[in-house]
Amino acid sequence: MNINLDQIGVRQVSGVSASKEGELHAFGISTVLDLLEYFPFRYEDYRLKALQEVKDGDKITVEGKIVGLPVLQRYGKKSRLTCNVMVDNWMVKATWFNRHFLKDQLTTGRNIILTGKWDQRRAQMTITDSEFPDKGTQRSGSLQPVYSVGGKITQTWIRKMINQALDQYGEMIPEVLPQELMQHYKLMSRKQAIRQLHQPQDVGEGKQARRRMVYEELFMFQLKLQAYRSMNRKRSTGIVHTTDNATIREFVRSLPFELTDAQKQVELEILKDMRSPYSMNRLLQGDVGSGKTVVAAIGLFATVRSGHQGALMVPTEILAEQHVRSLKKLFEPFDINVEMLTSSVTGRRRKDLLASLQMGMTNIIVGTHALIQEDVFFRSLGLVVTDEQHRFGVNQRSVLRRKGFDPDVLTMTATPIPRTLAITAFGDMDVSTISERPKGRKPITTYWVKHNMMDRVLGFISREIGQGRQAYVICPLIEESDKLDVQNAIDLYVELDQALSDTTVGLLHGRMNAAEKEETMRAFYSNETQLLVSTTVVEVGVDVPNATLMIVMDADRFGLSQLHQLRGRVGRGEHESFCILVADPKSEIGQERMRAMTETDDGFEVSRRDLELRGPGEFFGTRQSGLPEFKIADMVSDFEVLEVARNDAARMVASDFFWTSPEYEPLREFLQRQQVFQGELID
């Protein structure tokens, strides 16, 4: 009989009280299974070492005999206790801080186990833990797991509860991986792996346990994506777009520039998907300014000419306006109607727009989150394009998709993601990449300067503006504080306004309302203001061809991908453009970021380095990115396992045997629980 551990509340573990249950919920632990799968992030090594094999500064555990009397010194409420201990023929001076109560226990001749930092030159140890073998030891000789804890949950308590859960339920942990995979990769059983991760006997065993659980986690994640993808393909209820090549060619010929080879290639991939009977789910990634919007416009044109409507969802109102302007220009000769829906469209105008959308008179709608509100209906939604997909959560994207009957979905991002990571993170999507720049785009020269060179930077600004150009100055983000961000931007604005008295300076920050932001951007766009001081609201997609200079203050506070996005705001016109990073980074990583930015302006190379420096969690921003939060696997260091798991999952899902054989029952149940078959949860 299989007992389902994720149906048993954590209160059933002896020792978990009602108040502790509440505390555990804050860590996402509500069932016995959650507790068993709450893995440590590192281990404290309490295994006994010989002094001749340790290095100065190591944290070590040794056993010795107390020789001589302890000495206690008090400093107000604090105290220092020292005592000599004989360890392996070495006289070691042991020091405890604020442990005065131990004095009476430190009797000459008694054996003691000490854990602490070893100072080889002085033959001293600063003690963090000590135990007496004659009282029975708990820690020494072992590797102790270290968990993320906080609030009223302590390390000691969570260790105790996990051990208790293992005692009560450890034997009931079911196996989920099929035998063929276990044998092929020589994996230990799930039961054994979970126990080893919490109670490792030695490092080798711990590594094998981690290897097993990493593979399982990545395999299950990929299984979900591959099954969903396979279901989608079989469903074939997508819209078959019928626009022929001649019609598309006519539109492409009308464009004010020639498409690059990369754009042509991606356009073919998208049109092939749109003409097929299943719904497209494609990620289009390309560097800043590589011409993704034009490719999306070709898709939107194809959907309208096939008798359907298109929707383009963007993160900000400024960006929506910009897209509407450029799409109207492109579609004008073809009598295609483009409208905009954002939160500032209200009253009568909104009512008319919604009616026109529902009746099919509006062909293409560009908008922000306002597009996914309940009262927005389409007559026939054929293509959904989301721009800067990492700004929208998975759920927001799927709400827009459900406004039609399986429309085609094209997701665009200007954060170039290393291809291998893209096919993993967005495993249910096909990935198209625009890797070359449009003809005539000049590279942007990037400099890194220290704060003490600000006068030269001001001179540079004056020179560019004197030649009729415009410049951005970006303020750093101050962690967790919107208020400080704004104050920072205001202070910088006042400074620059005074320093550059013959220049009109504008200010843009997150506390301004939509109308104020619009007005500020409009003034900059039309060159009424020459210098724009801004927090990072300017980062996404704003297009001012006359701006040739981007200055980022305290640039080491930004991630590489974000710096690259900011740099991409300039270099959009015919003039040579520059990016100046002002930073005095203290850390090696900060310096490495600055070097990477000055060495390359290829977004894919930048993102590869960013991934190395930061890891995928930060790389994609918040959890909302739709990137999985793994309990034990790490997308960067476990990448090879991830690719293997992906291939295994794809192979399995493709075989009929998988859907019928009893051996795969646990995996099919897992997919059922994940609601893969409703096609709603994974987007």
Side-chain angles (χ1 to χ4, degrees), residues 215-229:
Y215 175 80
E216 177 193 308
E217 188 169 33
L218 297 177
F219 173 76
M220 299 305 260
F221 166 64
Q222 285 295 342
L223 187 71
K224 201 162 63 171
L225 291 182
Q226 301 303 328
Y228 177 72
R229 190 173 180 160

Side-chain angles (χ1 to χ4, degrees), residues 152-411:
K152 293 183 179 148
I153 303 277
T154 63
Q155 277 304 338
T156 313
W157 187 83
I158 194 116
R159 280 175 189 161
K160 196 171 159 190
M161 287 309 101
I162 288 174
N163 288 339
Q164 182 58 41
L166 282 166
D167 286 349
Q168 280 176 245
Y169 299 102
E171 286 308 305
M172 300 174 199
I173 297 171
E175 187 51 74
V176 292
L177 292 180
Q179 274 307 306
E180 56 163 299
L181 290 177
M182 305 260 298
Q183 284 162 2
H184 183 67
Y185 297 117
K186 300 188 169 52
L187 300 173
M188 61 169 69
S189 72
R190 186 165 211 269
K191 199 185 293 183
Q192 193 187 352
I194 288 178
R195 190 176 288 277
Q196 288 298 340
L197 280 168
H198 295 297
Q199 305 170 339
Q201 298 310 302
D202 61 54
V203 175
E205 235 171 32
K207 278 186 178 156
Q208 285 305 319
R210 184 182 184 278
R211 179 174 160 264
R212 146 75 209 219
M213 294 311 290
V214 165
Y215 175 80
E216 177 193 308
E217 188 169 33
L218 297 177
F219 173 76
M220 299 305 260
F221 166 64
Q222 285 295 342
L223 187 71
K224 201 162 63 171
L225 291 182
Q226 301 303 328
Y228 177 72
R229 190 173 180 160
S230 149
M231 303 295 290
N232 239 9
R233 291 278 158 99
K234 285 184 186 138
R235 226 182 253 147
S236 72
T237 50
I239 293 167
V240 178
H241 287 86
T242 52
T243 312
D244 60 20
N245 285 338
T247 312
I248 300 282
R249 269 201 299 274
E250 185 192 351
F251 175 63
V252 171
R253 271 201 297 271
S254 77
L255 296 171
F257 41 75
E258 197 190 331
L259 294 182
T260 63
D261 291 344
Q263 282 172 313
K264 287 176 189 164
Q265 176 56 40
V266 167
E267 176 211 338
L268 287 174
E269 290 170 2
I270 290 169
L271 290 171
K272 184 178 170 213
D273 277 4
M274 288 178 73
R275 288 171 180 149
S276 76
Y278 59 81
S279 25
M280 166 168 83
N281 192 9
R282 189 169 279 281
L283 177 73
L284 170 59
Q285 55 162 0
D287 210 342
V288 182
S290 60
K292 295 183 297 294
T293 313
V294 173
V295 172
I298 296 170
L300 291 166
F301 177 81
T303 201
V304 172
R305 280 290 181 263
S306 297
H308 304 286
Q309 292 162 292
L312 169 57
M313 184 160 76
V314 296
T316 64
E317 192 151 336
I318 294 172
L319 200 49
E321 280 215 329
Q322 196 172 291
H323 277 312
V324 167
R325 263 199 308 271
S326 59
L327 290 176
K328 277 188 165 162
K329 217 172 3 197
L330 296 178
F331 292 140
E332 201 176 20
F334 299 92
D335 195 28
I336 289 176
N337 167 301
V338 181
E339 296 292 347
M340 180 168 91
L341 178 62
T342 62
S343 52
S344 58
V345 178
T346 53
R348 183 81 234 167
R349 206 169 127 233
R350 179 180 160 89
K351 220 170 174 171
D352 291 347
L353 179 57
L354 293 182
S356 143
L357 199 59
Q358 194 164 1
M359 291 189 291
M361 286 150 61
T362 295
N363 303 122
I364 291 170
I365 187 98
V366 179
T368 53
H369 293 88
L371 289 181
I372 59 178
Q373 286 166 352
E374 279 180 20
D375 57 351
V376 179
F377 297 100
F378 293 80
R379 189 181 67 80
S380 171
L381 180 59
L383 175 65
V384 172
V385 182
T386 46
D387 193 11
E388 286 309 321
Q389 64 85 29
H390 62 283
R391 294 298 180 96
F392 297 110
V394 173
N395 298 349
Q396 291 167 320
R397 298 206 302 272
S398 65
V399 169
L400 183 54
R401 221 183 72 203
R402 290 201 289 274
K403 300 233 172 239
F405 295 100
D406 283 332
D408 286 329
V409 178
L410 180 66
T411 302

Side-chain angles (χ1 to χ4, degrees), residues 416-422 560-561 604-620 627 634-637 639:
I417 303 157
R419 183 176 167 75
T420 38
L421 191 60
L560 266 176
S561 291
F604 287 92
E605 176 57 21
V606 167
S607 75
R608 189 187 63 73
R609 295 210 195 173
D610 200 13
L611 196 59
E612 278 175 8
L613 291 173
R614 294 201 296 172
E618 282 183 72
F619 178 85
F620 286 96
L627 243 191
D634 173 275
M635 270 182 132
V636 179
S637 58
F639 188 75

Side-chain angles (χ1 to χ4, degrees), residues 358-575:
Q358 194 164 1
M359 291 189 291
M361 286 150 61
T362 295
N363 303 122
I364 291 170
I365 187 98
V366 179
T368 53
H369 293 88
L371 289 181
I372 59 178
Q373 286 166 352
E374 279 180 20
D375 57 351
V376 179
F377 297 100
F378 293 80
R379 189 181 67 80
S380 171
L381 180 59
L383 175 65
V384 172
V385 182
T386 46
D387 193 11
E388 286 309 321
Q389 64 85 29
H390 62 283
R391 294 298 180 96
F392 297 110
V394 173
N395 298 349
Q396 291 167 320
R397 298 206 302 272
S398 65
V399 169
L400 183 54
R401 221 183 72 203
R402 290 201 289 274
K403 300 233 172 239
F405 295 100
D406 283 332
D408 286 329
V409 178
L410 180 66
T411 302
M412 302 196 293
T413 177
T415 306
I417 303 157
R419 183 176 167 75
T420 38
L421 191 60
I423 55 178
T424 299
F426 308 105
D428 55 325
M429 294 186 187
D430 296 299
V431 180
S432 286
T433 302
I434 302 181
S435 48
E436 63 182 301
R437 280 204 183 89
K439 294 177 180 63
R441 283 298 293 264
K442 295 183 173 65
I444 299 160
T445 312
T446 304
Y447 300 107
W448 164 29
V449 302
K450 304 281 175 80
H451 281 86
N452 58 15
M453 293 166 76
M454 245 349 255
D455 286 348
R456 282 174 65 183
V457 173
L458 290 173
F460 203 86
I461 296 175
S462 295
R463 201 183 75 209
E464 283 296 296
I465 289 173
Q467 292 174 357
R469 314 274 175 267
Q470 289 163 279
Y472 297 97
V473 178
I474 302 295
C475 284
L477 287 161
I478 293 167
E479 288 300 304
E480 304 302 322
S481 171
D482 197 16
K483 209 160 154 192
L484 284 175
D485 274 351
V486 173
Q487 196 46 52
N488 211 16
I490 293 169
D491 293 347
L492 189 60
Y493 165 75
V494 171
E495 268 175 57
L496 291 171
D497 199 35
Q498 287 166 354
L500 304 162
S501 49
D502 49 355
T503 300
T504 318
V505 185
L507 174 65
L508 185 66
H509 60 69
R511 286 276 176 103
M512 291 159 75
N513 63 36
E516 291 167 329
K517 284 182 191 167
E518 292 300 313
E519 182 44 42
T520 305
M521 272 320 294
R522 196 200 52 71
F524 188 61
Y525 190 78
S526 56
N527 205 356
E528 290 163 35
T529 51
Q530 287 82 51
L531 181 66
L532 181 63
V533 175
S534 166
T535 53
T536 47
V537 280
V538 79
E539 177 195 338
V540 176
V542 182
D543 198 348
V544 180
N546 191 44
T548 55
L549 182 55
M550 166 61 71
I551 291 156
V552 186
M553 303 301 294
D554 291 332
D556 50 325
R557 292 200 179 173
F558 298 95
L560 266 176
S561 291
Q562 204 176 14
L563 287 173
H564 182 67
Q565 292 279 328
L566 287 168
R567 172 165 64 184
R569 297 299 115 234
V570 296
R572 295 180 160 245
E574 62 207 287
H575 308 291

